[in-house]
Amino acid sequence: MTALLARAAFPALGTGAVVLVTEAEALPQVVEVVRQEVAAIDLACSRFRPDSELERLNGSAGRPVPVGPLLLEAIDVALGAARTTDGDVDPTVGRALRALGYDRDFGSVERRGAPLAPPARFRILTGWRHVRLDRHAGTVELPVGMRLDLGATAKALAADRAAARAASLAGCSVLVSLGGDVAVAGSAPEGGWSIRIAEWHGADPDEPGPSVSIADGGLATSSTTVRTWQRGQDRLHHVINPSTGWSADVVWRTVSVAASTCVGANVAATASIIRGERAPHWLAELGLPARLVRADGSVLLVGGWPDEREATQEVTT
């Protein structure tokens, strides 16, 4: 990043937020906007807060529940992700995540535990098509027993919303990263926004890793190596295959995708983890630049992702 950029960082959504702006005097205003968006998405969409709208909805399955406009938007986005990925990214995996042990903020999840009781797989019995969302009435109805988890899309939605609103109010270019889900808005700095690719957003800046630049849209990385825990001999992670209710098979350690929005990038990266060997062809058909890292560390680039042997190159979304 150029030294002319102003930066702020703070904890957010169980992870971390990083904010960059091209006008230093705008940083306080931009940070406040990002904090507001993060607080709003957390109150609406967290499955770890008993006072969140989502938990109220999850606890009221079987009847239509009035929800606020932000949760309605977030569920609509999540259902759209399921639709465009043929159900590979499905928000109805909440029960499976709880059954596998991811039933609280990840910082409090026990990293090792007893083997999971049978059945060995928690197949999703009611998928995303059974969610009833009424935009006119502002209600959502879930079948009895279903629990939503919006982790695959809500954080990226918050990044998109925060970057767009902050850039509009502050009148400058803005980058917002929420746990590595990156959204940019406004006229990009010369050469674009340079972003280093890492398995974990909190990796030390001095650690080696490729960098790319984006001028608009978003970039997201989905990983099977960071949010992991053990139950008996089973090593689990947070990306759930809806067809089994179990952590997706680890074909890819990480998948990074650039797209026209952070939500689009996040959905494609998450779906690629679940699709395994089918992911590269699917990403290429969509024309999405992506970097896929296999379990053995070998790297596959598709869709025009820049050659890592060169200096930082721009990814066109």
Side-chain angles (χ1 to χ4, degrees), residues 2-241:
T2 173
L4 296 178
L5 302 177
R7 180 183 187 275
F10 52 90
L13 302 177
T15 177
V18 175
V19 178
L20 291 163
V21 297
T22 52
E23 303 292 341
E25 63 273 16
L27 185 62
Q29 181 184 21
V30 169
V31 168
E32 179 59 27
V33 169
V34 176
R35 287 186 181 275
Q36 290 172 3
E37 290 290 343
V38 165
I41 208 82
D42 191 44
L43 184 58
C45 302
S46 174
R47 66 180 179 91
F48 307 125
R49 291 179 55 164
D51 63 339
S52 76
E53 276 197 277
L54 179 62
E55 280 304 278
R56 179 170 62 87
L57 172 63
N58 281 336
S60 304
R63 62 182 179 84
V65 176
V67 301
L70 181 55
L71 181 57
L72 197 71
E73 179 185 2
I75 294 174
D76 198 20
V77 167
L79 295 177
R83 191 175 303 111
T84 58
T85 61
D86 296 323
D88 282 338
V89 180
D90 188 330
T92 69
V93 298
R95 284 186 66 191
L97 279 165
R98 287 167 62 95
L100 293 175
Y102 193 1
D103 57 355
R104 64 202 72 184
D105 186 85
F106 192 74
S108 301
V109 170
E110 293 184 26
R111 296 302 188 267
R112 291 185 176 275
L116 294 169
R121 295 291 186 269
F122 303 95
R123 185 175 297 277
I124 306 302
L125 300 178
T126 54
W128 65 275
R129 290 184 177 85
H130 297 276
V131 178
R132 299 286 177 258
L133 184 148
D134 188 327
R135 296 175 185 82
H136 179 72
T139 61
V140 178
E141 181 178 354
L142 308 180
V144 174
M146 177 184 285
R147 296 186 67 87
L148 297 184
D149 171 72
L150 304 179
T153 50
K155 180 158 58 70
L157 174 63
D160 279 329
R161 286 172 54 96
R165 181 173 164 229
S168 176
L169 290 175
C172 68
S173 187
V174 174
L175 178 148
V176 175
S177 173
L178 299 178
D181 283 352
V182 178
V184 302
S187 180
E190 184 178 354
W193 294 99
S194 178
I195 301 168
R196 190 169 66 87
I197 306 302
E199 291 188 352
W200 179 46
H201 76 280
D204 191 295
D206 295 328
E207 289 185 19
S211 294
V212 295
S213 67
I214 61 173
D216 53 24
L219 188 149
T221 296
S222 187
S223 173
T224 60
T225 65
V226 177
R227 290 180 183 254
T228 64
W229 63 100
Q230 196 94 6
R231 292 296 179 267
Q233 297 301 309
D234 294 312
R235 183 175 181 274
L236 305 168
H237 60 81
H238 72 294
V239 182
I240 302 300
N241 184 337

Side-chain angles (χ1 to χ4, degrees), residues 278-317:
R278 297 179 293 130
H281 179 70
W282 177 66
L283 291 165
E285 281 191 326
L286 294 175
L288 292 176
R291 178 182 187 267
L292 303 93
V293 183
R294 291 191 180 276
D296 64 5
S298 58
V299 176
L300 177 64
L301 308 178
V302 301
W305 188 278
D307 189 327
E308 295 179 1
R309 294 170 297 182
E310 302 175 8
T312 301
Q313 297 290 311
E314 184 173 338
V315 177
T316 302
T317 60

Side-chain angles (χ1 to χ4, degrees), residues 253-280:
R253 290 175 58 91
T254 61
V255 178
S256 301
V257 180
S260 59
T261 65
C262 185
V263 166
N266 183 287
V267 169
T270 302
S272 294
I273 294 287
I274 295 166
R275 292 190 173 206
E277 294 291 357
R278 297 179 293 130

